[in-house]
Amino acid sequence: MSKLIYLVPLFPLIGFLVNGLGRKALSRSIVSIVGVGSVLASFVVSLLIFLEVKSPGFTPQVITFFDFIKTGKLQIPFAFQVDQLSSLFLLIITGVGTLIHLYSTAYMDEETAPDFARYFAYLNLFIFSMLLLVLGANYVIMFIGWEGVGLCSYLLIGFWFKNDAYNDAAKKAFVMNRIGDLGFLLAVFWMIARFGSTNFADVFAQAPGASAAVLTGITLLLFVGATGKSAQIPLFTWLPDAMAGPTPVSALIHAATMVTAGIYMIARSNVLYNLAPITQNIVAVIGLATALFAATIALKQNDIKKVLAYSTVSQLGYMFLGLGVGAYTGAIFHVMTHAFFKALLFLGAGSVIHAMHHEQDIRNMGGLKKYMPVTHITFLLACLAIAGIPPFSGFFSKDEILTAALLKSPVYYVFGVIGALMTAFYMFRLYALTFQGKFRGTHEQEHHLHESPKAMTIPLIVLAILSVAGGLIGIPEVLMKDAHRLQSFLAPVFAESQPGGETVSHLSHSTELILMFGVVAIILIVIVLAWRKFSNYTKTTETSTGFSSILENKWYVDEVYDAIISKPLRSFSKFLNNVVERLAIDGLVNGVGKAVQYGSRQLRLIQSGQVGSYILIMVVATVLFFIIQLFWKS
Amino acid sequence: MPVNYYIFLSVALFCIGIAGVLTRRNAIVIFMCIELMLNAVNILLVAFSKMHHLAGLAADAGSRAGSEGQMFVFFIMVVAAAEVTVGLAIIVMMYRNIHSVDINFLNRLKH
């Protein structure tokens, strides 16, 4: 079955080509069938592959198709890696992808047919690139996918390209990603220089022989790539702006899949990271800082998608915290559960926005539970999941990361818990403002409120089931013996990084239980507080002051970046343009031209038409040559 | 007679020719000066050829070395004769057109 792995990315590629090339000719229904069908087909193949990987006796395989680059000693094959980690990601990508494609058929129905086809072409291209990223058996193939998803993200953020602000957001995302990609690329070059290969197997086999400095450098550069793609400090500001794209895109690319590419890459490189403890600490600190920082911003945002965007940044921070403290399984677990509940939250938000006719300000919503029962229930379940209430999925994954953080350092744990409390607060603020209380929009909007069509609610329901039950594959040791199925499933991938097998067992069970349920109790209190505070919210016109206005303005990060990076860069470019380009380069080029013109004008005067003067010059020149000849050599 | 004398004569004739070409404006005089220069070269050729011949004879009694120079002189005289006919024809045509043989009038190509 794993020989058929090429089918998994092939279907979306075909879907992309059909929809992209035939976008003017195909009808909406054909576009939908091709778009959804291609991803569904690769989901089915992924499922079969997953079942094979899961069966006992499976060994990880590298399937080589052809030589991608072959020069001298360097050989980069076009190969796919089939193992537990990649098969799990295949399931997440194609599974969530299928649901979001289905949802999009209804959400995008206001678009014209060619735009509709263009949308699905981009979306299929994205799935193709993401699958390439996950399947690649070396860093170069991974990088192809890595760049591909960046491109698709750019194309989809700027999908409504007639709006300048959206275009700016797309460009911002692309530029920030490029900064990260540079780090990734340098790491790959370094690997080629040091190990002579980019294959995962070769690099990991040679890694223990490399010096700590080299490993730290490579892992840090890879992490720079991850901060760009996965929106961590200092490259996170593109993700909230990326909400300019259609909401299903935000759900698929900017919440469930693409932004987890950095986590996948680090988890894949776990052998390298384990040998570079300095980098691990940096990853953990950056992850934690991002988790807290983004959570504080999310507390005061009023755009429904912006809250979710900062929440995504914050949750990605948790995943990096997990990676940094060595809880690779926990991080991957959180990727999975986050893919479920964050996709659900975004799709729920999309459903709300659809019903509200593109109103995104939660201050103008409220009381929607009456009008949209399915969206309301699924959104509530997702909020409970992300807040970490047992037995919803977020509880298990977040708990695993926090426990691992506690083992590393209590400081990590305390800040992690503070972040989790803020998560609960802003999620239930969002929920209460949107669904509870009275409707605060215009009468016209109220009149049009409706539950979304089936194509939108079915993905919501499926994702809600996954968000609720998805955590059950990773029940911690302390609650049920040997119930952490994900850990045993992924164990072969992370075997070298976790020599002891069990990392959790250092903590006594009673302590762990007390901490676990203590945190849950505090989170519940926070939820009740948020619920009560914002259920009866009424619109006020007064502007916030002091600290809350700083939060509302996102800590002025964009402004600071503008002041310390963009502005100096722009004035430097202006200097280059005005001085170097205009004066030096143009001066040089024009000067040569002018000199030739002037010189020829002077020389022309010699050509007087007087035959006598020509002969005189000739004679003088001849005599001169004779004299030179006579005296030169002697 | 040493060859030097011939060389001095030839150089003198050549310089007179050049000076004439440079200073005079009458086309016919210029023409004559050109002939003077040609013939200065002829003298030189003959003189060196004779010198060469004598050197050849000193080495080998039956040598005919150096006769090529004298042959060349005849060629040059033939070519010069042809050149004279063409040149004089041009001067005649020039006189017919502008009623002058002053070469300073012949700068029309400049414009």
Side-chain angles (χ1 to χ4, degrees):
Chain A
M1 192 63 219
S2 48
K3 294 278 174 241
L4 292 178
I5 189 78
Y6 65 88
L7 285 177
V8 178
L10 189 65
F11 284 125
L13 183 64
I14 292 171
F16 159 66
L17 291 175
V18 170
N19 278 342
L21 296 175
R23 68 182 189 282
K24 298 234 168 92
L26 298 178
S27 71
R28 268 159 206 273
S29 46
I30 294 179
V31 168
S32 309
I33 291 167
V34 171
V36 180
S38 58
V39 185
L40 184 65
S42 60
F43 174 66
V44 171
V45 180
S46 307
L47 198 62
L48 293 173
I49 287 170
F50 179 77
L51 290 176
E52 186 193 324
V53 172
K54 202 168 163 293
S55 63
F58 172 82
T59 48
Q61 294 176 13
V62 174
I63 296 157
T64 307
F65 296 102
F66 55 87
D67 280 330
F68 184 61
I69 294 176
K70 196 177 175 186
T71 54
K73 276 195 217 157
L74 178 65
Q75 274 200 344
I76 298 172
F78 193 91
F80 284 167
Q81 176 110 9
V82 186
D83 64 1
Q84 286 83 356
L85 186 61
S86 59
S87 67
L88 184 70
F89 264 83
L90 288 188
L91 272 192
I92 299 175
I93 294 161
T94 55
V96 177
T98 308
L99 292 172
I100 291 174
H101 274 69
L102 180 64
Y103 179 93
S104 299
T105 57
Y107 188 83
M108 299 300 282
D109 60 355
E110 290 166 17
E111 301 296 318
T112 60
D115 279 347
F116 191 71
R118 185 164 63 91
Y119 174 81
F120 274 96
Y122 289 165
L123 221 50
N124 278 351
L125 181 64
F126 167 76
I127 296 277
F128 165 73
S129 310
M130 191 70 205
L131 292 172
L132 209 58
L133 192 163
V134 169
L135 281 172
N138 57 55
Y139 283 98
V140 174
I141 302 302
M142 189 193 243
F143 189 68
I144 299 174
W146 189 271
E147 290 293 308
V149 293
L151 169 72
C152 295
S153 156
Y154 165 79
L155 290 172
L156 284 164
I157 296 169
F159 180 74
W160 289 307
F161 53 76
K162 283 174 186 157
N163 184 327
D164 274 345
Y166 293 179
N167 278 337
D168 287 344
K171 277 181 271 180
K172 185 174 180 182
F174 200 72
V175 169
M176 289 230 164
N177 268 302
R178 293 301 307 169
I179 297 171
D181 295 345
L182 181 68
F184 191 113
L185 206 54
L186 289 175
V188 172
F189 289 149
W190 201 341
M191 259 177 237
I192 292 173
R194 181 64 186 75
F195 304 121
S197 170
T198 61
N199 291 352
F200 294 140
D202 299 344
V203 172
F204 299 159
Q206 292 182 47
S211 72
V214 171
L215 285 170
T216 309
I218 290 177
T219 47
L220 267 182
L221 285 171
L222 283 176
F223 180 57
V224 169
T227 57
K229 195 63 76 192
S230 297
Q232 295 298 293
I233 290 173
L235 297 176
F236 71 97
T237 57
W238 68 269
L239 186 57
D241 285 14
M243 296 303 130
T247 308
V249 170
S250 309
L252 178 62
I253 300 186
H254 305 119
T257 53
M258 183 189 93
V259 288
T260 60
I263 289 124
Y264 170 77
M265 187 262 288
I266 290 181
R268 176 59 86 192
S269 321
N270 64 78
V271 179
L272 299 180
Y273 278 83
N274 252 50
L275 293 167
I278 300 174
T279 319
Q280 275 194 314
N281 282 332
I282 293 174
V283 171
V285 169
I286 295 265
L288 190 59
T290 312
L292 285 173
F293 194 70
T296 56
I297 299 175
L299 292 176
K300 292 298 288 181
Q301 295 303 304
N302 290 320
D303 182 321
I304 185 167
K305 286 180 76 180
K306 282 274 161 72
V307 177
L308 294 177
Y310 280 105
S311 159
T312 305
V313 175
S314 172
Q315 297 303 311
L316 289 168
Y318 274 109
M319 296 172 206
F320 277 102
L321 173 64
L323 294 172
V325 298
Y328 295 105
T329 313
I332 299 297
F333 191 18
H334 202 52
V335 166
M336 197 184 89
T337 56
H338 178 258
F340 296 150
F341 57 66
K342 191 49 70 63
L344 174 54
L345 285 169
F346 267 113
L347 295 186
S351 178
V352 168
I353 294 168
H354 197 66
M356 297 278 296
H357 288 275
H358 301 286
E359 172 66 62
Q360 301 197 0
D361 194 328
I362 47 176
R363 286 171 300 190
N364 297 331
M365 297 177 184
L368 294 182
K369 67 175 175 183
K370 209 165 40 176
Y371 306 97
M372 319 179 69
V374 179
T375 310
H376 166 239
I377 296 293
T378 52
F379 201 89
L380 178 60
L381 292 175
C383 285
L384 289 169
I386 193 174
I389 301 297
F392 299 102
S393 60
F395 164 73
F396 296 105
S397 54
K398 206 179 276 185
D399 177 69
E400 188 168 341
I401 290 173
L402 288 178
T403 313
L406 178 60
L407 287 173
K408 194 89 172 181
S409 152
V411 181
Y412 288 167
Y413 180 77
V414 171
F415 281 115
V417 170
I418 293 173
L421 297 180
M422 283 196 280
T423 307
F425 186 82
Y426 65 68
M427 282 321 298
F428 277 87
R429 168 178 177 268
L430 178 65
Y431 165 78
L433 282 178
T434 311
F435 291 101
Q436 298 291 335
K438 285 203 190 72
F439 187 70
R440 294 181 294 273
T442 60
H443 282 291
E444 202 189 338
Q445 281 174 327
E446 190 168 8
H447 191 67
H448 283 117
L449 283 177
H450 58 278
E451 182 57 279
S452 300
K454 281 272 186 308
M456 284 165 80
T457 48
I458 290 171
L460 290 179
I461 293 166
V462 176
L463 282 170
I465 294 167
L466 287 170
S467 305
V468 171
L472 298 179
I473 61 165
I475 300 170
E477 186 78 12
V478 63
L479 292 179
M480 199 191 290
K481 190 99 183 111
D482 288 332
H484 204 320
R485 306 243 295 274
L486 189 70
Q487 179 141 335
S488 42
F489 176 66
L490 287 175
V493 181
F494 302 129
E496 286 182 52
S497 322
Q498 288 161 336
E502 282 295 319
T503 49
V504 192
S505 54
H506 301 289
L507 216 57
S508 79
H509 281 193
S510 54
T511 327
E512 202 182 331
L513 275 177
I514 290 168
L515 285 173
M516 195 185 278
F517 287 101
V519 169
V520 169
I522 306 174
I523 287 177
L524 278 173
I525 294 169
V526 168
I527 288 174
V528 172
L529 277 177
W531 192 309
R532 290 185 57 175
K533 183 168 178 205
F534 291 104
S535 282
N536 299 313
Y537 174 85
T538 46
K539 248 197 279 193
T540 51
T541 48
E542 65 186 72
T543 50
S544 48
T545 50
F547 191 59
S548 65
S549 93
I550 294 178
L551 290 185
E552 216 161 275
N553 287 297
K554 307 147 192 170
W555 290 95
Y556 297 101
V557 173
D558 279 326
E559 286 78 0
V560 169
Y561 281 1
D562 196 45
I564 63 169
I565 296 171
S566 294
K567 283 230 179 82
L569 207 59
R570 231 171 279 154
S571 44
F572 182 59
S573 322
K574 209 172 273 172
F575 165 77
L576 287 182
N577 182 27
N578 290 342
V579 178
V580 178
E581 169 75 21
R582 296 254 167 86
L583 293 183
I585 295 178
D586 283 3
L588 196 69
V589 173
N590 293 342
V592 169
K594 280 208 183 101
V596 169
Q597 255 177 9
Y598 177 79
S600 29
R601 203 175 300 132
Q602 299 306 312
L603 282 174
R604 213 168 57 189
L605 296 178
I606 297 172
Q607 196 170 11
S608 59
Q610 304 285 345
V611 183
S613 61
Y614 295 167
I615 298 171
L616 182 65
I617 291 168
M618 198 173 87
V619 170
V620 169
T622 316
V623 171
L624 216 62
F625 281 129
F626 267 112
I627 293 170
I628 290 171
Q629 172 73 17
L630 212 58
F631 291 105
W632 199 255
K633 281 186 184 154
S634 55
Chain B
M1 221 175 351
V3 77
N4 298 17
Y5 296 167
Y6 293 103
I7 295 173
F8 286 139
L9 174 65
S10 165
V11 168
L13 281 175
F14 196 82
C15 287
I16 292 168
I18 286 178
V21 169
L22 287 180
T23 54
R24 304 309 288 262
R25 298 192 314 189
N26 188 323
I28 294 176
V29 176
I30 290 173
F31 205 66
M32 282 155 60
C33 291
I34 290 171
E35 288 302 310
L36 214 54
M37 285 194 282
L38 270 173
N39 284 317
V41 175
N42 280 351
I43 288 172
L44 214 55
L45 269 170
V46 174
F48 279 120
S49 140
K50 178 74 175 162
M51 187 187 89
H52 201 185
H53 184 58
L54 287 176
L57 279 182
D60 172 17
S63 165
R64 282 188 294 181
S67 53
E68 305 93 331
Q70 308 203 13
M71 293 299 297
F72 255 113
V73 171
F74 288 115
F75 276 107
I76 291 172
M77 287 163 95
V78 171
V79 171
E83 181 225 320
V84 165
T85 53
V86 174
L88 278 176
I90 290 173
I91 291 170
V92 169
M93 290 305 293
M94 174 184 158
Y95 185 77
R96 277 192 189 169
N97 276 316
I98 58 174
H99 299 290
S100 160
V101 288
D102 189 335
I103 54 153
N104 282 358
F105 282 117
L106 264 190
N107 58 3
R108 295 275 163 75
L109 279 177
K110 185 176 135 187
H111 302 294

